[in-house]
Amino acid sequence: LATDSVDSAELVNGSIDSGHLASGVGGASTQIKEIYATFDLSTATGTFAVTGVGFEPEFIYVIAGEHESLAFSWGFGTVGGASKSCAVNWRKADASAKSGVTTEIAYYWPNGSHRHMIDIDSMDSDGATFGNTKIGSPTGTFTLYMYFMRFSA
């Protein structure tokens, strides 16, 4: 292998232990934290915080899904939440499948009149604050797999 290649990494308590990485490949300054959460889709428009990350993230990647409707999305956002996020939604349950790019990090759209969107409001010292927008009367539980990342010291 070339110099500065990965020799090994370990998953420790949901975080990557990068202490075994060769120099120049992210090294000890790279931090990744995975958090699993659920979100009640009937929640009114507002904000919610996710804490327990242990650092201020620069990048967030989210995979979200709702079991009953088979709707899911994935999206990402960059440092500060000021940069646009991108999400794709797909519903394979019937002919009403939708897909597209939006400015949210997670998007639930089971039909035209009921939707729920989640976006990054801010990156915080121990996680992030998200804004959620509800349109119509969506119901169900969104399962969120959230990956918080920091690449600098």
Side-chain angles (χ1 to χ4, degrees):
L1 293 173
T3 337
D4 294 336
S5 61
V6 174
D7 66 7
S8 68
E10 299 175 60
L11 185 62
V12 179
N13 295 328
S15 296
I16 300 292
D17 173 6
S18 57
H20 299 287
L21 297 177
S23 63
V25 186
S29 66
T30 300
Q31 297 171 286
I32 301 173
K33 176 75 173 187
E34 176 187 16
I35 292 183
Y36 166 86
T38 57
F39 182 82
D40 181 350
L41 289 163
S42 65
T43 302
T45 295
T47 62
F48 65 95
V50 175
T51 59
V53 173
F55 55 88
E56 183 175 336
E58 295 176 328
F59 183 86
I60 300 172
Y61 178 70
V62 174
I63 302 169
E66 198 280 321
H67 177 72
E68 295 300 319
S69 68
L70 302 178
F72 69 92
S73 68
W74 62 94
F76 56 89
T78 58
V79 65
S83 297
K84 293 293 183 183
S85 301
C86 175
V88 176
N89 182 77
W90 182 255
R91 181 169 183 238
K92 195 175 176 180
D94 56 33
S96 67
K98 301 163 186 70
S99 65
V101 176
T102 71
T103 59
E104 290 80 22
I105 197 165
Y107 201 107
Y108 174 66
W109 189 4
N111 62 50
S113 59
H114 303 292
R115 290 178 286 202
H116 210 120
M117 293 84 70
I118 299 174
D119 201 0
I120 301 169
D121 278 0
S122 66
M123 303 288 196
D124 306 326
S125 63
D126 189 32
T129 300
F130 297 88
N132 59 290
T133 303
K134 178 177 133 178
I135 297 173
S137 301
T139 60
T141 302
F142 225 9
T143 301
L144 305 169
Y145 294 92
M146 310 173 96
Y147 300 87
F148 296 83
M149 300 170 219
R150 183 169 184 84
F151 303 105
S152 60

